[in-house]
Amino acid sequence: MADSNLPLTSRCPFGRTMRDTHFMLAPTYTPLNHGSFGTYPKPVQRRLHECQTLSEARPDNFQRYDFPVMLDRSRAAMASFLDVPVDEVVFVPNATTAINVVLQNLGFESGEMILHLSTLYGSVAKMIEYIHETRGVESINVAVDYPINDDVLVSRFQKAIKDVKFGKKRRVGVAIFDTISSSPGVRVPWERLVEVCREENVLSLVDGAHGVGQIDLGLSKVQPDFFTSNCHKWLYVPRACAVFHVPKRNQHLIRTSLPTSHGFVPKPRDSSKVIMNPLMNDSLGKSPFVVLFEFVATLDVSPYLCVEEALKFRREVCGGEEKIMKYCEEISSEAGRLAVKILGTDIMENETESLTKCAFTNVHLPLEIGDGQGQIPEKDMYLVAVWMTAMLVRESDIYSAVFFHARRFWTRISGQIYLDLGDFEKGARALKALCERAKSGEYLQAKARL
């Protein structure tokens, strides 16, 4: 029997063996940033190529007849995984697309506003700005400086909604928040935020980009109004594939896909002609919501058809969801503790230790902001982060993003089944050396090359 007192990496088959046997990562590459783009194992790659070959063998037959049936199987597998009805699940290329779909479809009434946390993903922030530019919809930014306790965040979130109600003819129409934010990478009490939205009669739009495959979601219990998550990040599905879940009660709000395609059903107009769907999939008894996203322009839809194979790999090779999530969270935590010993700093965590209940750990880098000797001037914060990230991968073939939050420099590391502690030690030592070089001002010499 294995010794339960041994470190996780000593009693688990994951790590270097998993990487060498099942993944396609370059031998010298140390990927500490799985969360950004993910990767997938060899069996899933074979399935991807198989679907692409089928598509090219008989293009019309595949797109018109085979693909819809294969897509239904993927949707069923995803719905079962999420424990939600299959007719509430469709696929889009990424979470950004799904959030765009929701915001573009919502008919904001006069005085309705968008509420979001300050840590929302950059592309979502820009989408909100676009909605403001084109439709005049105002937004509310709820400031979040980590580490912050969940109770404080939830209270601040609810107060922001209530404060708007005191304004004349104003209300929050939709609130956007993460399951796990990207930068910093921390677990968000999203379940409680959904409940607040329900109590305050606000639509909840959950950006679960990092959710599926990293944490247990329990969607059937939480019941957000809109939910999306990238399958190509933590679920081992090829890029680009995201699940988009809309409960039946809200499907009437989603009138069109982006771009608008054959599944769109226009409202009747006088003397208007009926526009037929040339793919004929609207006659198969599926709901309008499902048909809307079945064919959206001409894309490589093969990643959508790899969900079953990815779930099979996770189940049969990795031992199931609980084992994967446990390893990724624990290796991330162990790596964080190792890194702070090397760097002489600390990790981002709150009093209840809820922020690291996922596969991310944010490690404070030994850099100070200021105008003194060896400090980083505030005007150079972004430049230093870009320089360090670039030098790390160019010189050491290691990728771990450097960013700043609440006036401190951090790196976000991702726990993953193909990593072991040696990978994180290598990364921490390389980052320590780069911090010393940054203190000396070396980043200024490389500015023109970045």
Side-chain angles (χ1 to χ4, degrees):
M1 180 179 295
D3 186 352
S4 60
N5 294 318
L6 288 175
L8 175 67
T9 47
S10 299
R11 51 185 165 85
C12 188
F14 295 147
R16 176 59 65 173
T17 299
M18 175 64 69
R19 169 177 172 154
D20 292 345
T21 305
H22 296 291
F23 287 85
M24 298 164 283
L25 296 160
T28 61
Y29 185 52
T30 305
L32 307 183
N33 189 46
H34 181 96
S36 281
F37 301 108
T39 190
Y40 50 93
K42 295 173 185 177
V44 177
Q45 184 195 47
R46 288 194 289 271
R47 175 59 176 167
L48 176 70
H49 291 172
E50 178 184 80
C51 292
Q52 290 170 333
T53 299
L54 288 172
S55 175
E56 297 314 308
R58 296 178 177 84
D60 273 284
N61 186 72
F62 180 84
Q63 293 289 347
R64 297 173 186 273
Y65 307 112
D66 293 342
F67 170 68
V69 176
M70 297 166 73
L71 181 63
D72 286 346
R73 290 206 300 268
S74 283
R75 289 178 43 249
M78 194 75 248
S80 177
F81 183 80
L82 294 174
D83 191 26
V84 295
V86 67
D87 56 359
E88 297 182 351
V89 170
V90 295
F91 292 111
V92 292
N94 47 56
T96 298
T97 298
I99 293 169
N100 270 253
V101 166
V102 175
L103 292 182
Q104 291 279 28
N105 274 277
L106 289 181
F108 291 98
E109 298 178 359
S110 177
E112 283 193 326
M113 308 177 74
I114 300 170
L115 182 142
H116 63 84
L117 303 182
S118 61
T119 50
L120 85 167
Y121 191 58
S123 66
V124 179
K126 290 190 174 182
M127 180 60 193
I128 291 172
E129 289 301 306
Y130 175 76
I131 293 293
H132 172 69
E133 285 185 12
T134 57
R135 297 163 68 180
V137 179
E138 299 291 342
S139 61
I140 306 163
N141 181 8
V142 180
V144 181
D145 290 329
Y146 288 105
I148 184 175
N149 285 338
D150 289 354
D151 288 346
V152 176
L153 189 153
V154 173
S155 176
R156 193 174 295 177
F157 179 86
Q158 187 164 30
K159 183 179 183 299
I161 295 175
K162 289 183 179 296
D163 285 348
V164 172
K165 289 183 178 180
F166 287 107
K168 188 176 181 181
K169 295 182 179 180
R170 289 157 64 90
R171 65 177 296 271
V172 175
V174 61
I176 308 173
F177 44 89
D178 303 291
T179 53
I180 300 167
S181 63
S182 178
S183 181
V186 296
R187 176 78 172 260
V188 178
W190 67 281
E191 301 96 332
R192 294 174 62 185
L193 298 182
V194 169
E195 182 60 29
V196 170
C197 288
R198 189 158 33 245
E199 293 172 357
E200 300 294 340
N201 194 29
V202 172
L203 290 172
S204 55
L205 171 50
V206 180
D207 181 356
H210 293 282
V212 170
Q214 185 177 173
I215 58 173
D216 184 15
L217 292 165
L219 284 187
S220 60
K221 179 180 179 181
V222 183
Q223 295 191 6
D225 290 304
F226 305 98
F227 175 87
T228 184
S229 185
N230 289 321
C231 301
H232 56 247
K233 285 185 182 287
W234 297 90
L235 202 66
Y236 311 147
V237 175
R239 295 171 294 274
C241 176
V243 61
F244 182 31
H245 170 243
V246 180
K248 292 179 183 177
R249 67 180 184 273
N250 294 323
Q251 289 181 5
H252 68 283
L253 298 173
I254 306 299
R255 292 278 297 123
T256 182
S257 58
L258 291 181
T260 299
S261 193
H262 293 298
F264 176 66
V265 180
K267 293 180 179 179
R269 292 193 295 166
D270 292 341
S271 70
S272 62
K273 294 177 61 178
V274 175
I275 306 172
M276 299 300 295
N277 182 345
L279 301 177
M280 298 181 292
N281 296 331
D282 55 346
S283 63
L284 299 179
K286 299 175 185 176
S287 70
F289 173 72
V290 169
V291 174
L292 191 62
F293 291 91
E294 193 164 67
F295 180 91
V296 182
T298 305
L299 305 170
D300 181 4
V301 291
S302 303
Y304 297 177
L305 308 180
C306 295
V307 169
E308 287 181 286
E309 190 64 40
L311 294 177
K312 178 181 177 183
F313 176 82
R314 295 170 70 87
R315 182 176 60 252
E316 297 184 1
V317 177
C318 302
E321 296 304 310
E322 183 178 352
K323 191 173 183 179
I324 294 170
M325 293 178 187
K326 180 179 175 63
Y327 181 86
C328 291
E329 182 177 329
E330 291 189 3
I331 191 69
S332 174
S333 295
E334 289 187 19
R337 290 192 290 270
L338 175 63
V340 298
K341 286 183 181 179
I342 294 171
L343 297 169
T345 57
D346 54 10
I347 65 170
M348 182 182 291
E349 185 57 286
N350 59 19
E351 294 175 359
T352 59
E353 300 184 350
S354 65
L355 303 183
T356 55
K357 297 299 182 184
C358 60
F360 280 143
T361 298
N362 302 278
V363 180
H364 177 209
L365 297 177
L367 294 172
E368 293 184 2
I369 298 171
D371 297 320
Q373 183 69 28
Q375 294 182 321
I376 306 299
E378 188 167 353
K379 64 180 179 63
D380 291 343
M381 289 192 303
Y382 179 75
L383 177 60
V384 169
V386 172
W387 176 78
M388 288 186 65
T389 302
M391 290 302 101
L392 189 64
V393 71
R394 291 175 183 173
E395 296 179 351
S396 304
D397 209 13
I398 301 168
Y399 198 95
S400 183
V402 175
F403 65 97
F404 49 89
H405 175 79
R407 295 186 59 78
R408 301 178 85 185
F409 281 92
W410 305 86
T411 187
R412 184 196 75 183
I413 55 178
S414 301
Q416 195 44 251
I417 62 171
Y418 52 71
L419 296 171
D420 56 35
L421 283 179
D423 296 312
F424 294 101
E425 179 179 1
K426 181 180 177 182
R429 296 194 183 284
L431 281 167
K432 183 177 182 179
L434 280 171
C435 286
E436 294 304 312
R437 291 163 61 184
K439 292 176 185 178
S440 71
E442 184 179 333
Y443 65 90
L444 293 171
Q445 303 168 22
K447 183 176 181 179
R449 295 186 283 114
L450 295 176

